[in-house]
Amino acid sequence: GTRGFISAHILNTMFLSYAVANRADFDDEDLLRIITISFFLNISFKRLDNIVKKEEMVNGSGKGIEGYATTHSAEFFESIYPQEKEIEFFIKNHHNYKNNDDYFISDKLKKIFNIILLSDNFETLTHSRPYCEPLKPHEAIRKIIKEFNNIDKESLKEFIDYVGMYPITSLVRLNSKDKAVVVSQNKGFPL
């Protein structure tokens, strides 16, 4: 159900963000920061279960819920970490976040935000939601590449290197017409 989707989405985004950043050799402090930001990104959706279940979400007219939830997530984050204004801003505005110089944020923090955004969107696209069918992982990667042209190329490459165009356990048909299962990723060569 919806409740399971929201909890799974929060956890999956946290773990995927962590795994991508860990493979990209972030230090322990930054890995903890990534888990924390990922957690707060969508936590207010848990408080809105009764709204999310409504028909508005099913027919697509419930899109305003995202802004409401992210505002509350940002306020919750700010109550615990009042000194982290850049992160609070990102949590509140991540649906409109652009990786450009309009924000006075360090390059490292931008990279952290990019990894979290990619993970959040990949999880959203590849899992069932009450109002949308999931995409196959390679379809989600293609959509992300097309729609996230504002994400720096290095972050996108690191994300794809980790997830792969065809993630582990994907069924694929080879050029020889044989069926195969992906059992590992070749870092640096996702295809």
Side-chain angles (χ1 to χ4, degrees), residues 40-101:
F40 279 98
L41 198 65
N42 295 302
I43 194 62
S44 283
F45 280 113
K46 286 300 296 169
R47 296 171 66 195
L48 299 173
D49 277 344
N50 59 335
I51 297 172
V52 174
K53 288 179 185 175
K54 288 186 177 180
E55 184 179 333
E56 291 88 6
M57 208 56 184
V58 176
N59 68 23
S61 65
K63 296 254 183 212
I65 292 170
E66 290 174 354
Y68 179 78
T70 56
T71 296
H72 286 279
S73 291
E75 289 171 359
F76 185 32
F77 178 85
E78 196 266 339
S79 71
I80 298 169
Y81 301 99
Q83 71 283 6
E84 297 282 359
K85 295 299 181 189
E86 296 92 351
I87 297 172
E88 177 192 352
F89 177 81
F90 169 72
I91 291 169
K92 188 174 186 176
N93 297 289
H94 75 276
H95 291 293
N96 302 314
Y97 175 79
K98 303 267 188 273
N99 184 45
N100 60 36
D101 293 328

Side-chain angles (χ1 to χ4, degrees), residues 9-22:
H9 179 79
I10 291 167
L11 291 173
N12 289 343
T13 300
M14 284 171 51
F15 292 130
L16 182 57
S17 298
Y18 173 88
V20 171
N22 189 41

Side-chain angles (χ1 to χ4, degrees), residues 25-40:
D25 295 325
F26 278 81
D27 63 32
D28 289 344
E29 185 178 322
D30 287 330
L31 291 172
L32 182 59
R33 196 177 220 188
I34 285 165
I35 290 170
T36 304
I37 297 167
S38 296
F39 173 78
F40 279 98

Side-chain angles (χ1 to χ4, degrees), residues 120-127 129 133-135 140 143-144:
D120 183 56
N121 282 280
F122 183 80
E123 285 300 317
T124 298
L125 293 170
T126 58
H127 290 85
R129 294 167 280 167
E133 290 296 315
L135 295 177
K143 185 171 181 152
I144 286 170

